Amino acid sequence: MLSDEALIEAVEIINEAKEAAGRQPAEIPEKADKKEKKLLREENEKIEIAKIVMDELNIFDTEYGKTRVENAKKICEAGLNGYLDSFTLTKAQAKAMPKATDTEKERRRTALMQVSNFKAAKKAVKKYFPNGIKEFDSSVFHTLFEQEDEAERKIADVLSVLKEAKENKDSATAAQLKKELKALRFEQAKTKERIKEATNKNSVYYRASKPYQDAKKLLIQKENYQHLDEILSLYEKTVTA
């Protein structure tokens, strides 16, 4: 949930974007001085950015946005182990999409990327998940990183005491500490290996499930944008009351 300060800032940014997006970029006179040209360029840049912001906020009101949402729904409804069969767009179809404007080019790039992601996902599933995709529990990293930090702290403590033992010429204590240090470093190496193994598993799961995860994110984004409109409406009513 946004704080009051963050909400006010968001409202101001969006309202500024709405206002700027309604203006047209100004022509920059050749005879204008450097200061005036700089101001006009900055204003034009602000207008262009505002239009991009508004296009993004209104994306789900367009036919393109609605189509993406419908496709995302089909993917999510098919589930993690069925979504690959719900995608029918081919690379040839994506490449045939119009690219006359910046918006069309971006949509075409998105479609091509989606085709590429699905291709990579199918390859990963076939190789690593022939019996179905198993979700990766990323919470394992929290435990492993804690173990790694704990090992580093223990090693640092033993090294400190070992240094003191050497300075005091306490060979018996030093020998015992060296054994402890060897054991700790062995455990540290095992933890690092487990982190590497978990990272590889997470990478494979990410490739196999990315289109599915992207579809879920798109639906969440749409939901958030709907709530944003509600929040803005409530805020504006509060301000004008």
Side-chain angles (χ1 to χ4, degrees):
M1 186 68 179
L2 290 174
S3 65
D4 291 342
E5 292 79 8
L7 176 58
I8 292 172
E9 184 178 358
V11 171
E12 289 176 348
I13 290 173
I14 293 172
N15 284 338
E16 286 177 6
K18 286 180 178 179
E19 194 274 331
R23 300 197 300 270
Q24 293 298 321
E27 291 187 11
I28 302 176
E30 292 185 8
K31 295 183 179 180
D33 58 35
K34 289 183 178 180
K35 185 176 180 180
E36 184 180 357
K37 286 182 178 180
K38 182 181 178 182
L39 290 173
L40 287 172
R41 288 194 189 98
E42 289 177 350
E43 179 62 22
N44 287 346
E45 183 178 352
K46 186 186 296 184
I47 292 171
E48 291 303 320
I49 292 174
K51 289 181 178 179
I52 293 172
V53 170
M54 295 311 301
D55 283 346
E56 173 62 22
L57 290 175
N58 296 322
I59 185 67
F60 297 116
D61 293 329
T62 66
E63 286 304 314
Y64 169 74
K66 291 175 182 177
T67 299
R68 285 190 65 194
V69 168
E70 287 306 310
N71 289 336
K73 285 180 179 178
K74 289 179 182 178
I75 290 172
C76 291
E77 287 169 358
L80 187 58
N81 279 296
Y83 84 90
L84 287 173
D85 296 326
S86 68
F87 187 73
T88 58
L89 181 67
T90 66
K91 185 175 182 179
Q93 289 173 328
K95 292 185 75 172
M97 290 175 65
K99 52 181 179 177
T101 66
D102 288 342
T103 299
E104 288 177 345
K105 288 177 183 177
E106 181 59 32
R107 291 175 179 177
R108 182 174 178 273
R109 277 194 296 268
T110 299
L112 284 168
M113 181 60 69
Q114 196 173 27
V115 170
S116 177
N117 288 339
F118 264 85
K119 182 178 179 180
K122 286 182 178 179
K123 187 176 180 180
V125 170
K126 183 178 180 180
K127 184 175 182 179
Y128 299 104
F129 302 101
N131 298 318
I133 302 174
K134 294 180 180 178
E135 287 194 46
F136 179 81
D137 183 7
S138 60
S139 65
V140 67
F141 285 116
H142 177 72
T143 301
L144 289 172
F145 289 147
E146 278 192 339
Q147 291 175 356
E148 186 179 37
D149 291 342
E150 181 65 18
E152 288 179 357
R153 285 193 293 269
K154 287 181 177 179
I155 288 172
D157 291 342
V158 171
L159 284 172
S160 178
V161 179
L162 178 59
K163 180 181 178 183
E164 186 178 338
K166 287 180 178 180
E167 290 174 349
N168 295 331
K169 301 186 186 317
D170 187 347
S171 57
T173 300
Q176 181 60 37
L177 289 170
K178 286 179 181 179
K179 289 181 180 179
E180 291 182 22
L181 189 61
K182 184 178 180 180
L184 285 170
R185 282 177 170 160
F186 178 73
E187 285 301 318
Q188 183 186 45
K190 285 174 62 178
T191 299
K192 288 183 180 294
E193 186 63 31
R194 286 194 288 269
I195 290 174
K196 182 179 178 181
E197 182 182 347
T199 300
N200 289 337
K201 287 182 178 179
N202 186 41
S203 177
V204 168
Y205 172 71
Y206 176 79
R207 290 202 304 275
S209 66
K210 188 177 188 310
Y212 177 74
Q213 304 298 340
D214 286 347
K216 288 174 64 176
K217 288 178 183 176
L218 183 72
L219 295 182
I220 291 172
Q221 182 183 7
K222 179 180 182 296
E223 187 70 18
N224 288 339
Y225 280 11
Q226 287 179 329
H227 289 316
L228 181 60
D229 287 339
E230 293 170 7
I231 291 171
L232 289 174
S233 178
L234 289 172
Y235 177 82
E236 289 171 355
K237 287 179 181 178
T238 302
V239 172
T240 55

